[in-house]
Amino acid sequence: MILDFGFVTNLISYYVNNFVYICVMKTTLEIIKGIHPGKIVERELLKKNINKRQFAIAIGEHPQTLGAIIKGNRRMNVELSLKIEEKLQLEEGFLMTLQVFYDLKQAKKINQLKPDISKLRKGLFWDTTFDKIDWQQMKVAVIKRVFSRGTEEEKEEITRFYGKDIVEKIKLIKHQL
């Protein structure tokens, strides 16, 4: 059997190039995930020197809609992402992937702003509207309240949420008063 080295070389080159492309794409996605897809659209329009208003009209969208997406005030939807990706020659699904990563980042940010309220009794905060507590701004009052009237589970949750160092500092302030 005679082996065609030209064919083998081309085949190896093809797989190496695709592997490098996949690795580069993953790295690029890792770098930009969490960024609103509107920022990427804006960058691409600037790179290609395309007017936002004219681009919006060219893809059959209202300029205000595109403007809101670019500013990050509106979510990207599938239909619009496909139009934009086609016009800007981006990989299909790229913008929606970014939107999902952005949504995940926002959801995590919201969850990080408050403790696991299922572990706290609303009655512990009888003098305020429980659902409207600003957990960051009111942390001194929250920690004092929980450590003076809370259960062990509530104390553990507040310690987990704020961190042991902050809780200890605030507890010291309480004792110094």
Side-chain angles (χ1 to χ4, degrees), residues 24 55 64 75 80 85 99 117 136 152 160 171:
V24 169
F55 181 76
Q64 296 88 342
R75 293 185 81 253
L80 182 56
E85 289 162 349
Q99 183 67 55
I117 57 175
Q136 296 302 320
E152 284 305 312
R160 183 206 60 80
K171 282 170 57 179

Side-chain angles (χ1 to χ4, degrees), residues 13-177:
S13 176
Y14 170 79
Y15 283 111
V16 167
N17 287 338
N18 281 335
F19 177 75
V20 168
Y21 172 76
I22 290 168
C23 290
V24 169
M25 278 303 294
K26 183 177 181 189
T27 305
T28 302
L29 188 58
E30 289 297 318
I31 292 169
I32 64 174
K33 76 179 184 183
I35 294 176
H36 192 280
K39 295 296 176 193
I40 302 302
V41 171
E42 181 178 38
R43 191 190 90 204
E44 289 296 316
L45 291 174
L46 287 172
K47 231 169 58 175
K48 295 176 181 186
N49 202 22
I50 300 172
N51 178 285
K52 295 174 200 170
R53 181 176 177 75
Q54 291 172 343
F55 181 76
I57 293 168
I59 61 172
E61 286 295 327
H62 295 284
Q64 296 88 342
T65 302
L66 184 64
I69 289 171
I70 286 173
K71 290 178 185 172
N73 297 333
R74 186 173 178 160
R75 293 185 81 253
M76 178 72 66
N77 63 54
V78 176
E79 183 181 336
L80 182 56
S81 72
L82 289 172
K83 289 179 187 178
I84 293 171
E85 289 162 349
E86 182 181 346
K87 254 322 187 205
L88 294 178
Q89 299 172 341
L90 299 172
E91 187 175 342
E92 188 177 279
F94 178 68
L95 295 175
M96 285 310 299
T97 301
L98 287 179
Q99 183 67 55
V100 169
F101 279 121
Y102 179 79
D103 292 346
L104 286 170
K105 181 179 177 183
Q106 296 305 307
K108 286 179 183 178
K109 198 182 288 186
I110 289 169
N111 287 336
Q112 290 173 349
L113 295 178
K114 60 184 177 185
D116 182 354
I117 57 175
S118 70
K119 295 182 179 179
L120 302 173
R121 294 172 291 141
K122 289 186 179 187
L124 190 57
F125 302 94
W126 71 89
D127 55 345
T128 188
T129 306
F130 186 77
D131 297 330
K132 293 188 179 181
I133 295 174
D134 184 334
W135 298 96
Q136 296 302 320
Q137 185 177 352
M138 301 303 296
K139 71 179 160 191
V140 173
V142 168
I143 291 170
K144 286 182 179 183
R145 177 72 57 90
V146 170
F147 279 85
S148 68
R149 300 171 187 254
T151 65
E152 284 305 312
E153 182 183 27
E154 290 166 332
K155 291 174 185 177
E156 288 172 11
E157 176 53 23
I158 290 302
T159 302
R160 183 206 60 80
F161 177 66
Y162 291 115
K164 190 175 181 179
D165 292 340
I166 291 174
V167 169
E168 291 302 321
K169 284 178 188 175
I170 292 173
K171 282 170 57 179
L172 283 175
I173 293 170
K174 177 184 174 189
H175 293 301
Q176 292 172 352
L177 294 177

